[in-house]
């Protein structure tokens, strides 16, 4: 991303980040319902952001890490 573009810092629970990253990298974004092409691009940018940020530290997660994160996030569901 261009360094002149305004950015937003977002804090996520690590388990949420792992679940989102796993979903984003395994989902065909051409099949995700969107109402504007920018939505697909924003999802792509989010996935790329997860890959680039060393402080997120989720690029090398294992299948066991993903399963554990999914279990943790599912326990926090309020609906």
């Amino acid at each position: 991303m261009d360094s002149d573009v305004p950015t937003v810092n977002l804090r996520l629970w690590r388990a949420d980040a792992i679940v989102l990253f796993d979903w984003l990298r395994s989902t065909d974004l051409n099949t995700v319902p969107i109402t504007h092409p920018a939505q697909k691009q924003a999802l792509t940018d989010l996935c790329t952001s997860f890959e680039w940020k060393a402080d997120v530290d989720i690029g090398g997660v294992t299948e066991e890490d993903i399963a554990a994160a999914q279990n943790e996030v599912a326990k926090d569901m309020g609906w």
Side-chain angles (χ1 to χ4, degrees), residues 16-78:
D16 284 335
I18 291 170
V19 170
L20 281 171
F21 178 64
D22 179 59
W23 179 77
L24 285 167
R25 70 180 176 169
S26 64
T27 298
D28 179 357
L29 294 180
N30 292 319
T31 64
V32 174
I34 62 169
T35 57
H36 192 281
Q39 294 166 337
K40 180 177 167 184
Q41 185 59 50
L43 288 171
T44 301
D45 292 345
L46 180 60
C47 188
T48 300
S49 176
F50 281 138
E51 291 172 343
W52 284 355
K53 301 288 184 184
D55 57 321
V56 174
D57 190 30
I58 60 172
V61 296
T62 65
E63 290 299 320
E64 291 81 17
D65 295 329
I66 294 166
Q70 289 170 334
N71 287 333
E72 284 299 311
V73 172
K75 283 194 293 189
D76 196 40
M77 292 173 57

Side-chain angles (χ1 to χ4, degrees), residues 3-25:
S3 61
D4 294 332
V5 176
T7 61
V8 174
N9 292 324
L10 176 67
R11 290 178 54 114
L12 288 175
W13 186 27
R14 185 172 189 272
D16 284 335
I18 291 170
V19 170
L20 281 171
F21 178 64
D22 179 59
W23 179 77
L24 285 167
R25 70 180 176 169

